[in-house]
Amino acid sequence: MAWLLANDCDFAGARTPLDQNRYTEVGNFFYLGLTPAFLREYVPLVLTQPSKLAGLCRLGYLLLRGLWRSAGLVKTHVPLSLLPPDVLDTNKVIYVTRNPKDALVSYYHHFSRCRVVKYSGSLEDLAEDYMAGRLPGLPFFSHVLEAWERRDHPNMLFLFYEDMKRDMPGTLRRVAAFLGKQLTDEQVGQLCSHLDFAGMKNNKHANSLMYQDAGILDMPSFIREGQVGSWKQQLSADTDRRLNDWIRRSVEGTGLTFQGVQ
């Protein structure tokens, strides 16, 4: 979305590979530490499967190239406190969050199939580690609240994933205005079609397989479901209750609320 809006809906350009070619990814190396799972699961794999070793070399090249390539756009999972202190004074920042319970489910499906982390517990087990902030990319709320506290900064646009799913045209217009762009109704329709989740999943240039090619992710598609409220079918009533309690305590007095938290 950001690339297309910044580049005046260049759909032809969007049909070229996305990962590391049109934006810089900051933070991937945080996930590639020498963990026991990495040494046990991944090193033997790449040493015995030349195709996976070739995939790892290509991935490393793309990540390193992104460190010095000036692409205009930067994508990252790290919090504001790990970015330059003046980032909001010198750049526009689009921050996206989602219901912590849906984020937990997505986290589980990716990290239980990631050979670098190889989380071997159940979803219920992960909920405990998730709330305690014991895994990469966590703790959740210190990350989100850093951005929420700066939501009124003129260079900050704070978005919820649920709003994108509920009203993509409205979200597109908000982001376009934030980036100083104007959209016609036709462009909004084209963007909604291009950015539809099913379309993104079937778009090889968006749903990159470079982590699968390198043997890091053992899953057929990096983009999975993208549904709002999938936690309802996957979390037990007791875990849901404890997560709701944790969320309420974490956001108390901040004004931040999440859809589906009782």
Side-chain angles (χ1 to χ4, degrees):
M1 181 193 296
W3 189 89
L4 280 165
L5 290 174
N7 288 274
D8 301 316
C9 297
D10 178 11
F11 290 101
R15 296 188 184 98
T16 61
L18 176 62
D19 291 286
Q20 271 66 50
N21 288 327
R22 281 181 280 145
Y23 61 80
T24 301
E25 172 83 35
V26 177
N28 273 352
F29 284 111
F30 287 122
Y31 297 96
L32 299 179
L34 294 178
T35 63
F38 179 89
L39 297 172
R40 182 179 65 253
E41 296 277 344
Y42 189 60
V43 173
L45 177 74
V46 296
L47 291 179
T48 57
Q49 296 189 23
S51 64
K52 300 300 182 186
L53 181 58
L56 175 63
C57 291
R58 178 176 180 273
L59 174 60
Y61 161 73
L62 290 173
L63 296 179
L64 286 170
R65 187 180 68 177
L67 294 178
W68 66 76
R69 179 184 173 89
S70 177
L73 297 176
V74 172
K75 173 178 174 287
T76 182
H77 291 83
V78 303
L80 288 176
S81 56
L82 292 183
L83 297 175
D86 63 347
V87 64
L88 278 174
D89 297 323
T90 56
N91 301 271
K92 288 183 178 291
V93 175
I94 302 171
Y95 187 96
V96 182
T97 190
R98 71 186 304 193
N99 184 308
K101 293 186 286 187
D102 276 336
L104 164 64
V105 172
S106 177
Y107 195 104
Y108 174 74
H109 282 283
H110 279 83
F111 278 85
S112 62
R113 300 178 185 184
C114 177
R115 287 190 173 91
V116 176
V117 179
K118 200 65 175 180
Y119 190 87
S120 58
S122 66
L123 178 57
E124 309 297 322
D125 293 331
L126 181 68
E128 298 300 323
D129 289 326
Y130 185 77
M131 288 185 281
R134 289 192 288 254
L135 289 167
L138 301 175
F140 183 92
F141 279 108
S142 62
H143 195 309
V144 175
L145 288 173
E146 281 184 9
W148 178 250
E149 290 170 359
R150 307 296 302 277
R151 67 190 182 279
D152 293 326
H153 192 288
N155 281 342
M156 167 69 80
L157 180 62
F158 192 100
L159 298 177
F160 292 89
Y161 180 76
E162 291 79 8
D163 290 336
M164 293 186 185
K165 297 288 287 187
R166 177 184 55 82
D167 182 15
M168 177 62 83
T171 299
L172 282 166
R173 290 188 171 94
R174 280 189 69 193
V175 177
F178 179 68
L179 296 177
K181 300 290 184 176
Q182 292 185 337
L183 294 174
T184 65
D185 291 343
E186 180 182 5
Q187 287 174 322
V188 170
Q190 291 174 323
L191 283 163
C192 285
S193 177
H194 184 83
L195 298 171
D196 177 76
F197 194 87
M200 294 287 285
K201 189 169 184 176
N202 292 323
N203 181 352
K204 66 179 182 180
H205 299 312
N207 190 9
S208 174
L209 297 178
M210 64 182 184
Y211 294 101
Q212 286 90 329
D213 292 342
I216 291 174
L217 280 180
D218 182 21
M219 53 196 306
S221 171
F222 185 83
I223 296 177
R224 201 175 60 86
E225 291 184 359
Q227 296 299 313
V228 171
S230 63
W231 56 269
K232 297 175 185 177
Q233 290 78 46
Q234 303 200 46
L235 295 175
S236 69
D238 181 62
T239 298
D240 182 41
R241 177 187 58 77
R242 288 186 290 110
L243 284 165
N244 283 334
D245 290 342
W246 168 66
I247 294 169
R248 284 195 299 268
R249 290 195 308 270
S250 299
V251 301
E252 185 177 7
T254 67
L256 178 63
T257 59
F258 289 95
Q259 176 184 318
V261 176
Q262 302 174 358

